[in-house]
Amino acid sequence: MKILYLLRHATAAQATPPAMSDFDRTLSGFGVRQARLVGRYMQENRMQPDFVHSSAATRTTQTARLVMSAIFGNTAEQVASNFAQELYTAPDEKLLAAIQGTGSDYRSLMLVAHNPGVAELAYALGKVNHYDPGTLSVFTADC
C-alpha cells in the first residue's frame, strides 16, 4: 500500500511589495504554530513520510521542514526530499505528475504545495471541497 500525505502550506504572512515577492513570503507566527501542530499530529498518529516533495517557495519549505522536525526531530534532514521551483503555483496535473514520478521504492510521500493546485488535487483524489492553509489529507492506494 502507498500513502500520500497532501498538505497545503501553513498560513503565510502578508507580502510587503516591492521588497518581498509572493515566492519569498514566510509563515506568520500562526502559520509556524499550525505547521508544528500538523507535524505533532502526524507524529502521534505514526504518519511518517519516506519522501517529501515541496514547492521551493519559502512558506512551503518552512512548512515542510517544521512538520518533518515535529515528526522526526533531529533526524528530519535524513528524509529524502525535493524542493522544486516547478511546484510553485503548479496546477493539479503537475502535482500529480510529481507524485507519479517519485521512485517506486518509497512507501509514503508528503507533498507540500499551494492552492489552487493542491485543493484541485484533493478534490480529484477524494472529493475534498475546501483546503485552508495547513490542511492535511491522507490518501492510500494499493499498488
Side-chain angles (χ1 to χ4, degrees):
M1 178 168 57
K2 299 277 185 167
I3 303 169
L4 170 64
Y5 302 106
L6 184 62
L7 177 61
R8 181 176 174 196
H9 65 78
T11 302
Q14 294 297 317
T16 53
M20 181 186 290
S21 69
D22 182 67
F23 185 86
D24 295 325
R25 288 173 53 206
T26 60
L27 294 180
S28 67
F30 177 72
V32 169
R33 290 188 301 277
Q34 264 181 324
R36 288 181 177 146
L37 184 62
V38 169
R40 219 170 20 253
Y41 174 83
M42 291 179 72
Q43 190 270 337
E44 289 169 358
N45 288 281
R46 298 185 179 149
M47 298 176 180
Q48 299 182 337
D50 300 325
F51 190 88
V52 178
H53 266 306
S54 175
S55 159
T58 302
R59 60 191 178 274
T60 48
T61 300
Q62 286 180 302
T63 299
R65 289 190 171 139
L66 287 166
V67 168
M68 296 306 288
S69 289
I71 297 170
F72 295 106
N74 294 336
T75 62
E77 292 185 18
Q78 297 175 9
V79 176
S81 57
N82 177 43
F83 295 91
Q85 176 80 29
E86 61 270 13
L87 296 182
Y88 174 62
T89 68
D92 58 332
E93 297 89 3
K94 193 171 218 171
L95 296 175
L96 185 58
I99 293 165
Q100 292 170 332
T102 303
S104 61
D105 48 333
Y106 297 108
R107 187 185 67 77
S108 60
L109 162 74
M110 182 169 71
L111 175 69
V112 185
H114 309 265
N115 267 357
V118 73
E120 293 166 351
L121 182 58
Y123 185 80
L125 295 174
K127 304 297 185 224
V128 178
N129 285 317
H130 196 71
Y131 231 76
D132 287 332
T135 298
L136 172 71
S137 294
V138 181
F139 300 97
T140 59
D142 290 323
C143 302

